[in-house]
Amino acid sequence: MRIEEFIGQLEKKNISISVEKEQVRIRGNRELLTKEIINEIKYRKNEILEFHGRFSHETGYEPIPLVKGKEYFALSSAQKQLYFLHEFDKTSSAYNMPHVMQLKGNLEFNKLENVLERLIQHHSSLRT
């Protein structure tokens, strides 16, 4: 089975693989993450690394490095302004940016959830 098909099968089981500094990271439901799957991922590690490198090169994708955790993060000028507006009038919607989007076709919820999880993991501002 090609590596693309293997990764696709894992995604259908909501198991994701990421690569960080030549290390393969696995995330997913513990019940679906069997020893057989873990062993196959280990066995195919070189293929996964090669695929990730090829994919990154073809798309220009570079993963965003994780930021070291801190107890507090400094606010940007824009964040300070929004905080001031919120404190000045707590009923104001100035802090919120509502947006509605209509999607057509079949929504693959697991993929959407996976993308949003990755986005949150890589952007500390979404975790605060």
Side-chain angles (χ1 to χ4, degrees):
M1 167 185 335
R2 293 181 23 227
I3 192 66
E4 294 87 349
E5 294 167 343
F6 176 65
I7 292 172
Q9 285 183 348
L10 293 176
E11 287 178 350
K12 286 180 184 175
K13 295 178 182 179
N14 207 19
I15 297 171
S16 65
I17 295 177
S18 61
V19 175
E20 296 174 24
K21 298 181 182 176
E22 299 297 314
Q23 295 295 316
V24 176
R25 306 273 185 233
I26 308 166
R27 284 191 319 269
N29 185 331
R30 295 283 178 203
E31 294 171 5
L32 298 176
L33 199 54
T34 63
K35 286 184 179 182
E36 292 81 17
I37 290 174
I38 293 171
N39 287 336
E40 187 167 1
I41 291 170
K42 287 179 182 179
Y43 178 76
R44 299 186 80 168
K45 178 181 176 180
N46 288 336
E47 282 181 90
I48 292 168
L49 293 174
E50 189 270 327
F51 173 76
H52 179 267
R54 188 176 72 237
F55 178 77
S56 299
H57 178 70
E58 289 173 1
T59 62
Y61 166 78
E62 279 295 321
I64 300 168
L66 294 175
V67 175
K68 299 261 188 243
K70 296 180 184 179
E71 189 172 349
Y72 297 100
F73 291 90
L75 295 177
S76 69
S77 177
Q79 289 171 319
K80 288 177 186 175
Q81 290 171 354
L82 286 172
Y83 177 74
F84 174 79
L85 289 173
H86 174 70
E87 289 298 306
F88 184 71
D89 181 5
K90 293 191 188 254
T91 62
S92 170
S93 63
Y95 191 78
N96 298 314
M97 296 171 58
H99 183 78
V100 175
M101 184 183 297
Q102 184 175 4
L103 303 174
K104 294 183 180 181
N106 294 329
L107 175 65
E108 294 185 39
F109 183 78
N110 291 338
K111 286 188 178 182
L112 176 63
E113 185 177 39
N114 190 12
V115 166
L116 292 175
E117 277 295 320
R118 288 181 183 181
L119 190 65
I120 290 167
Q121 287 175 353
H122 285 290
H123 294 283
S124 59
S125 62
L126 297 177
R127 296 190 303 270
T128 58

